[in-house]
Amino acid sequence: MPLILITGLPTSGKSTRAAQLYDYLTERIAAESSSSSTPKFRLHLISDQSLSISRSVYDLDPAHTPAHARSANASEKDARAALYGAVKRVLSPRDIVILDTLNYIKGWRYQLYCEAKNVQTPFGLVQIGCPVARARGVNEARIRRSEQREQQQQKAGNGTTKDEPTTTTTSTTTTTAAAAGTAPKSGDLHPETYQQSHQNWQQKQFEEESTAGPDFEDVTLSPTDSQEPYTPRSNWENLVFRYEEPNPMSRWDSPLFIITWDDTSADTKATFDQIWDEVIVNKPQKLIRANKSTVQRDKDPGGDYLYVLEKETQDIVKRILEQQAEVGEGGTVRLSRSGTKEEGEEMLEVELPGKKVGLPQLQRYRRAFVALNRGGIGLEAVGTLAAGRLRESFVGYLNDAFEKEM
Ligand code: ADP
Ligand code: MG
């Protein structure tokens, strides 16, 4: 069944809510299937943790890239490929997949949306709302805890901290100057060593500043919490900076459900009920979406036909530009099929691409469509019937064209 993405800032409470959603769905599935012997759906929770993806894959700082890595973001790309593969393997009309990872890139969410569409299964997005200072506080608490653990280990006398994943990824310090907290002097060192050492010093300064600088709330970790922090702090800060907010007008960010940190269990249950109704059992009927780019043609078109062809396609271009301003990139534009918006009539939908479409581009598509259909589209009648079918056909043509664009 559906693919449900959890999205939110790093350490904002995503896994906590994902686990609650998992428990909720487990119960509902059991209740639904009690009459029959086999459960209706299978449920999967996929996360960075379930695939053993380390927090360090998100660190883009080239200074922390291990020597054997292809580039600073290669590890994140590999992580995404692993997540994608894991989703693809199980997603089917009988499997519900919860994907608990940052899901912070718009293009990535689009890719997953398309995957769900490919297997003809619904899709939904749950955003976790949490103030930045609180999320930062969670990371700080985890840093503190892991530092305390390190100290305890050292006190205990074994002194080795090599098995802490956080320290193995940041070991590029080459000189004592970098570790000492004073800026290295260029005269003392070979130029290349100096450059490296200066970079390390800057990094250290940045990390120290970000402890004291940006505000964070004092957060108490739950006793069962055992997650590693994002280190260095710049890794966490960068993820916040790179976070691409979902836009519920885009079809790959909808339906969008929001759960905040402070939501009570009753609030959360109400949202889960909504997810169950809207995404799992009763996906609201989509309005018709014309998909054919051309309709079979015959007969010699009359003069009226060419006039209608120009007029209707122009009208659609105009309305798309008008509505785009409201619905934004990736939004859905609704158009009257008849061009006159009769009471209760079916509407046509144009799904806009992920970037803004301009008049020149729309005119290019329009001219191409007109050229294709100049010969007529197999209509005996002109007038409203022809207009309706032309509009539907042009909308289908645009949907095909836009789908290739993102
Ligand atoms: P993420 O998956 O986004 O990194 P987690 O779900 O692991 O975040 O949560 C981080 C920490 O914050 C955990 O210790 C968790 O217990 C705590 N936490 C998360 N959400 C809440 C909440 N709504 N109320 C109280 N504590 C929470
Ligand atoms: Mg998590």
Side-chain angles (χ1 to χ4, degrees):
M1 271 307 268
L3 173 59
I4 303 171
L5 306 189
I6 312 284
T7 181
L9 298 178
T11 58
S12 59
K14 296 182 299 300
S15 299
T16 304
R17 297 307 192 185
Q20 290 170 357
L21 177 60
Y22 185 91
D23 293 345
Y24 170 91
L25 291 175
T26 306
E27 261 179 45
R28 282 230 51 178
I29 293 168
E32 295 285 314
S33 330
S34 57
S35 48
S36 63
S37 50
T38 44
K40 254 181 163 166
F41 308 119
R42 285 176 299 228
L43 186 58
H44 311 263
L45 177 59
I46 298 174
S47 67
D48 288 10
Q49 286 74 38
S50 74
L51 300 182
S52 305
I53 295 170
S54 151
R55 309 275 199 215
S56 65
V57 304
Y58 299 106
D59 190 3
L60 286 188
D61 192 330
H64 308 137
T65 308
H68 57 83
R70 283 163 288 151
S71 69
N73 63 2
S75 55
E76 187 179 347
K77 280 194 191 144
D78 292 345
R80 277 208 295 271
L83 288 161
Y84 194 77
V87 170
K88 211 175 148 87
R89 256 194 308 283
V90 292
L91 193 64
S92 85
R94 266 202 63 202
D95 293 84
I96 302 175
V97 179
I98 304 171
L99 180 61
D100 165 32
T101 177
L102 291 157
N103 293 317
Y104 70 99
I105 300 169
K106 188 173 76 174
W108 161 252
R109 296 195 296 262
Y110 173 72
Q111 219 181 321
L112 289 162
Y113 159 84
C114 291
E115 189 54 45
K117 205 166 138 188
N118 276 343
V119 286
Q120 298 187 326
T121 190
F123 173 89
L125 189 68
V126 182
Q127 185 179 17
I128 307 302
C130 173
V132 178
R134 188 171 302 163
R136 188 184 281 117
V138 171
N139 202 44
E140 287 302 322
R142 284 177 177 166
I143 289 177
R144 270 198 309 276
R145 188 185 54 196
S146 103
E147 282 170 354
Q148 278 163 6
R149 257 193 232 150
E150 236 173 275
Q151 280 167 4
Q152 279 163 4
Q153 277 179 353
Q154 275 169 358
K155 261 195 209 144
N158 64 28
T160 49
T161 54
K162 281 228 171 59
D163 49 352
E164 282 285 318
T166 52
T167 52
T168 53
T169 55
T170 56
S171 54
T172 48
T173 312
T174 51
T175 70
T176 45
T182 51
K185 292 194 189 74
S186 58
D188 301 345
L189 297 162
H190 182 275
E192 270 179 29
T193 323
Y194 165 71
Q195 203 185 10
Q196 177 68 60
S197 151
H198 192 75
Q199 259 178 13
N200 289 341
W201 177 75
Q202 275 182 328
Q203 175 64 31
K204 218 165 158 5
Q205 289 300 102
F206 174 76
E207 282 166 29
E208 271 158 24
E209 273 163 26
S210 57
T211 334
D215 63 326
F216 61 89
E217 285 179 27
D218 217 358
V219 179
T220 317
L221 296 174
S222 83
T224 52
D225 185 283
S226 61
Q227 296 300 318
E228 291 298 332
Y230 289 84
T231 54
R233 290 184 171 89
S234 57
N235 181 11
W236 189 93
E237 298 293 338
N238 264 316
L239 282 168
V240 174
F241 182 73
R242 287 186 281 153
Y243 188 72
E244 296 178 338
E245 281 287 333
N247 167 15
M249 294 290 202
S250 307
R251 58 196 182 282
W252 55 88
D253 283 342
S254 68
L256 176 66
F257 305 90
I258 295 178
I259 298 179
T260 69
W261 178 287
D262 296 319
D263 275 359
T264 62
S265 51
D267 296 334
T268 314
K269 188 185 170 294
T271 310
F272 291 166
D273 285 343
Q274 225 182 327
I275 293 175
W276 179 269
D277 292 342
E278 280 183 40
V279 187
I280 299 190
V281 285
N282 189 22
K283 179 99 176 140
Q285 277 284 298
K286 265 246 173 205
L287 298 167
I288 63 155
R289 174 175 180 260
N291 236 334
K292 269 186 246 130
S293 51
T294 50
V295 183
Q296 221 189 353
R297 35 175 104 168
D298 66 27
K299 285 202 178 154
D300 212 18
D304 270 4
Y305 167 76
L306 289 177
Y307 169 74
V308 175
L309 179 64
E310 285 291 329
K311 179 170 151 281
E312 297 303 335
T313 53
Q314 290 279 19
D315 180 66
I316 286 177
V317 164
K318 182 171 141 253
R319 282 169 204 272
I320 288 175
L321 288 172
E322 281 167 6
Q323 285 190 44
Q324 179 175 243
E326 285 166 44
V327 300
E329 303 162 353
T332 302
V333 167
R334 303 233 154 105
L335 302 160
S336 141
R337 190 174 188 280
S338 65
T340 51
K341 211 176 210 165
E342 284 151 27
E343 204 41 45
E345 86 170 315
E346 286 176 324
M347 300 291 275
L348 299 170
E349 290 191 337
V350 180
E351 297 184 334
L352 297 174
K355 46 186 184 289
K356 203 167 176 230
V357 251
L359 178 62
Q361 188 191 0
L362 282 169
Q363 288 292 25
R364 258 198 316 280
Y365 286 139
R366 194 187 72 80
R367 280 195 297 271
F369 178 81
V370 167
L372 271 173
N373 291 290
R374 223 179 260 291
I377 53 168
L379 305 163
E380 319 63 53
V382 282
T384 44
L385 174 62
R389 288 181 59 178
L390 268 173
R391 290 169 74 87
E392 189 175 328
S393 179
F394 184 42
V395 162
Y397 179 86
L398 287 174
N399 278 325
D400 286 347
F402 291 156
E403 199 161 314
K404 291 182 190 109
E405 277 194 16
M406 166 100 194

